[in-house]
Amino acid sequence: MRLKLFPLAPLIAIASAQSPSLATLLTSTPDLSSLASLVETLPSLLSTLAVAKNVTLLAPSNDAISKLLQSPAGAPFKANDTETIQSILTYHVLNGSFPAAEIPTSPAFVPSILNSARFTNVTGGQSVEVVKAGQNVVFTSGLLQQSTVTKADVPFAGGIVHIIDTVLTVPGNASATATAAGLTSLAKALTATDLINPVDVLSDVTIFAPNNAAFQAIAATASALSTDELANILEYHVVNGTIGYSSLLQNHTKLISLSGKPLTITLEGDTIFVDSAKVVTPNVLVANGVVHVIDNVLNPNMTNLLPNPVLASQPAAFPNGTITVGSNSSQTSGGGQSGTSAGGGTAEASNDGEKLGGMGSIGLVALFALRCFVLVG
């Protein structure tokens, strides 16, 4: 199920018969001359936009395109990779009219018309996050790339244009996102285990991904996990078929994980918890859905573990570093019973000096993160 915040019906009737065509608007706006030149090289996109109705175009300024071309992300433009260029620009076209005055002060997620299977596995088109921050309207795309509107609500025959200061980043698949984020162990693991294709075919997922510190908190015990035991834990971190963007998560909601066990969402003010784990980085858009980074590893055998909001940080969901495999337990964060340490095969850990958020990565972290991005078991 695809969750939406904004309806696809127009929020305001701006476009009219007197408004210019998009081609006319682009060529007559000096700050959009670079975009106009790019669109002219893509006749199929130009044809689509010529007949489009009720859309919002996020139009990169000349400076935005210049900045892109001077970065590694500009490689497809330099190589004249028309398919990639067209997909990037298509991602800038939103399904619906979203004038600046209607943008909320909390994150909202709107679908674009990008639905190419090569670039997205999100039903209904890859989404863009938007929020009003002070006086600015800010769009966030892949890799948490932010683009600020510099001129809003320019009408054209098919809808409205917002001029933005940075080209959007199309969300990449798990391996591409991991590489760009400096998670080289994860990228190597995906390649070495031939899991890139399984990652790419997943659709509409919500992934609760523990950060490095969360894994380090249970590293001694986790190294003793068998493959099946680790898979059982990892499946509990993935929800398939529902994209749970942060603003759509509701207090006391239960989401069914791949393991079949429920995850409990708790809202405390602006803070989101899943079971007792705190979401520390929400809404990392990926090709197949959304990732929320959390500060604890979730325990599928303690599905009723809830946060204690008065604590600055929550205790690990595996009391005293142990992992109980078997019957489900119910606990409130801040207490808990020690379980029996799971036996079985070992997972080798290697500290190769990689960094993520100032924490050293180890092979176990990469393995766990890897399986968070795939259907396991």
Side-chain angles (χ1 to χ4, degrees), residues 194-258:
D194 295 323
L195 286 174
I196 291 179
N197 287 335
V199 169
D200 291 344
V201 300
L202 291 174
S203 63
D204 298 341
V205 298
T206 302
I207 301 167
F208 296 101
N211 59 20
N212 290 356
F215 288 103
Q216 290 172 349
I218 64 166
T221 301
S223 65
L225 289 174
S226 70
T227 299
D228 288 344
E229 290 164 347
L230 180 60
N232 180 56
I233 293 172
L234 297 175
E235 288 181 342
Y236 188 55
H237 290 71
V238 182
V239 177
N240 193 30
T242 297
I243 303 181
Y245 302 115
S246 66
S247 57
L248 297 174
L249 297 175
Q250 298 182 0
N251 202 22
H252 307 309
T253 296
K254 290 188 181 295
L255 303 175
I256 303 303
S257 67
L258 285 179

Side-chain angles (χ1 to χ4, degrees), residues 43-76:
S44 61
L45 177 60
L46 188 58
S47 298
T48 298
L49 295 177
V51 297
K53 299 296 181 185
N54 186 37
V55 298
T56 299
L57 173 63
L58 305 179
S61 66
N62 291 346
D63 286 344
I65 292 177
S66 176
K67 182 169 58 176
L68 175 72
L69 295 178
Q70 295 173 31
S71 73

